[in-house]
């Protein structure tokens, strides 16, 4: 298995993906760029996934795309990042001849990620969201099963076992290192986030551990 990102010298927006990924039977696409700007998100996810899907087509490789449960719902499209993910899923579906989309709910790690992304000086904003978070390790195990052919679905939705708010998760984190400030997002989209628009349907596969067990295991330490 070879990992590629800018850290290893591969920029998906600039470099020739077909050349760089030559020999791959499976390509797992898990690139990301955090932004709330619709223009920047659709530009990044559109261009990155077009490059990966075209490489997968050239190489006749299986393309496994990591996405987010419910990110394509109309009510959340005002959130630029989700608009970008929607474009990404659409392009991958159009271009990739052999695609599996693994969608997960927000990861346990997302609580700390959010503090880093939403930080201004000593404060960090925590958007009002009701979610069913899941451990990244558990999602990765499912991605591995899809990549190795142990699972053959073309779409898999994965969720954690409990519903909670991002605020509750944030408050449980050890060593936050920043003052967390709740941010109720205004309007219909904010209400949708708070009222559970990001919660999965009953069809989603539920995987542990629970958030408290994950915290007890020390995985949340910085
Ligand atoms: N975080 C969550 O809770 C969550 C939940 C469900 C699904 N997802 C999805 O899972 C994927 C990964 O999420 P994440 O939170 O880990 O994203 P992330 O932290 O924003 O970025 C993931 C990786 O993308 C690489 N990358 C960024 N720009 C690149 C470029 N131009 N060329 C090559 N590589 C580039 C980065 O490595 P370098 O800096 O080395 O380039 C980074 O390791 C995303 O598609 C996200 O939507 C995330």
């Amino acid at each position: 298995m070879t990992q590629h990102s800018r850290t290893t010298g591969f920029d998906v927006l600039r470099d020739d993906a077909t050349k760089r990924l030559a020999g791959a039977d499976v390509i797992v696409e898990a690139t990301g760029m955090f932004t709330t700007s619709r223009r920047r998100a659709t530009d990044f996810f559109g261009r990155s996934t077009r490059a990966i899907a075209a490489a997968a087509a050239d190489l006749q490789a299986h393309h496994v795309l990591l996405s987010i449960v419910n990110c394509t719902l109309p009510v959340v499209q005002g959130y630029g990042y989700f608009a970008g993910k929607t474009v990404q899923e659409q392009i991958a579906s159009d271009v990739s001849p052999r695609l599996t989309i693994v969608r997960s709910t927000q990861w346990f790690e997302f609580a700390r990620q959010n503090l880093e992304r939403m930080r201004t000086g000593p404060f960090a904003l925590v958007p009002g969201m009701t979610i069913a978070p899941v451990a990244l390790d558990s999602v990765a195990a499912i991605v591995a099963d899809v990549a190795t052919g142990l699972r053959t679905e073309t779409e898999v939705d994965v969720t954690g076992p409990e519903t909670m708010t991002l605020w509750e998760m944030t408050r449980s984190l050890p060593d936050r290192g920043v003052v967390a400030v709740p941010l109720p997002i205004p309007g219909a989209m904010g209400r949708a986030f708070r009222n559970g628009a990001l919660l999965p349907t009953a069809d989603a596969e539920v995987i542990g551990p629970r958030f408290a067990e994950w915290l007890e295991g020390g995985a949340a330490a910085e």
Side-chain angles (χ1 to χ4, degrees):
M1 188 182 78
T2 315
Q3 224 176 309
H4 297 278
S5 75
R6 290 168 303 178
T7 307
T8 67
F10 171 63
D11 186 332
V12 70
L13 302 181
R14 280 203 336 238
D15 299 325
D16 184 332
T18 301
K19 255 194 207 153
R20 199 58 73 96
L21 303 174
D25 299 314
V26 182
I27 303 169
V28 177
E29 183 180 9
T31 43
M33 183 198 63
F34 178 70
T35 176
T36 56
S37 151
R38 182 189 186 92
R39 185 185 57 75
R40 295 188 68 209
T42 52
D43 179 67
F44 177 85
F45 285 113
R47 286 168 62 204
S48 59
T49 217
R50 197 177 289 284
I52 296 302
D58 289 345
L59 301 168
Q60 298 185 7
H62 179 194
H63 179 182
V64 183
L65 173 65
L66 205 48
S67 195
I68 303 177
V69 166
N70 290 352
C71 68
T72 61
L73 286 181
V75 71
V76 302
Q77 295 308 298
Y79 187 59
Y81 187 85
F82 286 161
K85 294 295 291 183
T86 300
V87 165
Q88 182 184 44
E89 283 200 17
Q90 190 58 58
I91 292 174
S93 302
D94 290 347
V95 178
S96 231
R98 253 197 319 146
L99 175 70
T100 302
I101 302 181
V102 177
R103 297 188 193 89
S104 92
T105 53
Q106 286 64 37
W107 304 332
F108 292 159
E109 288 80 356
F110 175 65
R112 199 176 291 286
Q113 252 181 346
N114 176 70
L115 290 180
E116 287 159 10
R117 291 169 170 175
M118 300 293 279
R119 181 171 187 156
T120 310
F123 302 104
L125 297 173
V126 181
M129 292 173 123
T130 303
I131 54 183
V134 63
L136 172 56
D137 279 354
S138 305
V139 178
I142 289 181
V143 170
D145 285 351
V146 170
T148 54
L150 283 175
R151 297 181 60 145
T152 55
E153 303 102 304
T154 53
E155 293 189 25
V156 183
D157 277 17
V158 180
T159 178
E162 306 171 297
T163 297
M164 62 188 71
T165 62
L166 181 58
W167 180 249
E168 288 165 338
M169 292 173 72
T170 305
R171 293 299 300 263
S172 306
L173 287 179
D175 309 321
R176 289 190 295 277
V178 67
V179 180
V181 179
L183 169 69
I185 300 173
M189 191 182 69
R191 269 197 305 283
F193 277 159
R194 287 191 293 281
N195 294 340
L198 298 176
L199 296 175
T201 63
D203 298 341
E205 187 168 327
V206 181
I207 45 172
R210 293 177 185 280
F211 186 57
E213 293 164 343
W214 182 80
L215 288 173
E216 280 159 21
E222 267 189 303

